[in-house]
Amino acid sequence: MDSGAITVYKKMGKVRELSDFVKNKSDKHISGFVGIAHTRWATHGEPNDVNAHPHLSMSGNIVVVHNGIIENYLPIKKALIEKGYKFKSETDTEAISNLIEDIKKSAKVSIDEAVRLALIEVVGAYAIVVLSKNDPDTIIVAKKGSPVVIGIGDEEFLSLLMPRR
């Protein structure tokens, strides 16, 4: 697998279903140094494999998991569609991944600055984790109103997006 390559496996349902899906497919590569995952409660879009997290940007260079609700995702999505972006899912999360990508390209900024600028445009509560193919050693975590837990272990770092209660 290429350095910085992003591989996404998604499955609707319980974590066990995704685990079984990956284990039972010999063509599935799950080795790596950085990864993100998310179990999703459907807020925008029906629960299915397409709407499951994580969500890639249109180019496949940026991947996002997100907990919360982006209240203005439809106007963001519409503006991105007018710029030529195509969407596969019905989720607000895919709008975030494409917004970050659009800002990164148009403003010619780093991934962390693109995330910061994108989140200025976002209305709602969120906790997000972002990875970029071009910055494979960087994990960006941001939150507003939704809790995040970040932990450090032996040779590992973990962040956990917590559902709002």
Side-chain angles (χ1 to χ4, degrees), residues 49-113:
D49 289 350
V50 173
N51 289 333
H53 289 221
H55 284 283
L56 288 166
S57 61
M58 189 174 79
S59 72
N61 289 333
I62 295 172
V63 64
V64 175
V65 294
H66 153 247
N67 187 49
I69 298 174
I70 304 306
E71 296 169 15
N72 65 332
Y73 88 100
L74 283 174
I76 290 170
K77 184 175 179 176
K78 182 179 178 193
L80 290 167
I81 289 170
E82 289 173 4
K83 290 182 174 187
Y85 282 84
K86 305 231 183 298
F87 287 77
K88 297 177 181 176
S89 78
E90 301 170 312
T91 69
D92 49 352
T93 307
E94 188 178 14
I96 296 171
S97 67
N98 282 315
L99 178 61
I100 293 167
E101 177 171 272
D102 185 64
I103 290 170
K104 186 174 185 330
K105 286 191 318 191
S106 63
K108 295 180 176 51
V109 295
S110 65
I111 185 62
D112 54 326
E113 181 65 2

Side-chain angles (χ1 to χ4, degrees), residues 90-161:
E90 301 170 312
T91 69
D92 49 352
T93 307
E94 188 178 14
I96 296 171
S97 67
N98 282 315
L99 178 61
I100 293 167
E101 177 171 272
D102 185 64
I103 290 170
K104 186 174 185 330
K105 286 191 318 191
S106 63
K108 295 180 176 51
V109 295
S110 65
I111 185 62
D112 54 326
E113 181 65 2
V115 171
R116 188 187 74 77
L117 292 171
L119 293 177
I120 290 171
E121 295 185 32
V122 167
V123 175
Y126 55 80
I128 67 169
V129 179
V130 180
L131 298 178
S132 169
K133 181 177 182 177
N134 299 325
D135 299 283
D137 296 327
T138 301
I139 299 175
I140 298 168
V141 179
K143 68 173 252 36
K144 178 182 177 186
S146 290
V148 173
V149 176
I150 298 175
I152 301 172
D154 290 334
E155 298 185 34
E156 66 183 357
F157 301 90
L158 307 165
S159 72
L160 179 63
L161 306 180

Side-chain angles (χ1 to χ4, degrees), residues 3-75:
S3 174
I6 295 176
T7 305
V8 172
Y9 301 116
K10 302 178 356 162
K11 199 75 181 145
M12 179 189 82
K14 305 228 181 261
V15 173
R16 178 178 237 12
E17 292 174 46
L18 177 61
S19 178
D20 291 345
F21 173 73
V22 172
K23 284 181 192 173
N24 294 328
K25 301 285 186 177
S26 61
D27 63 333
K28 302 291 184 245
H29 303 284
I30 58 170
S31 62
F33 296 100
V34 177
I36 59 176
H38 179 24
T39 58
R40 177 177 182 266
W41 289 2
T43 52
H44 293 106
E46 68 179 78
N48 61 32
D49 289 350
V50 173
N51 289 333
H53 289 221
H55 284 283
L56 288 166
S57 61
M58 189 174 79
S59 72
N61 289 333
I62 295 172
V63 64
V64 175
V65 294
H66 153 247
N67 187 49
I69 298 174
I70 304 306
E71 296 169 15
N72 65 332
Y73 88 100
L74 283 174

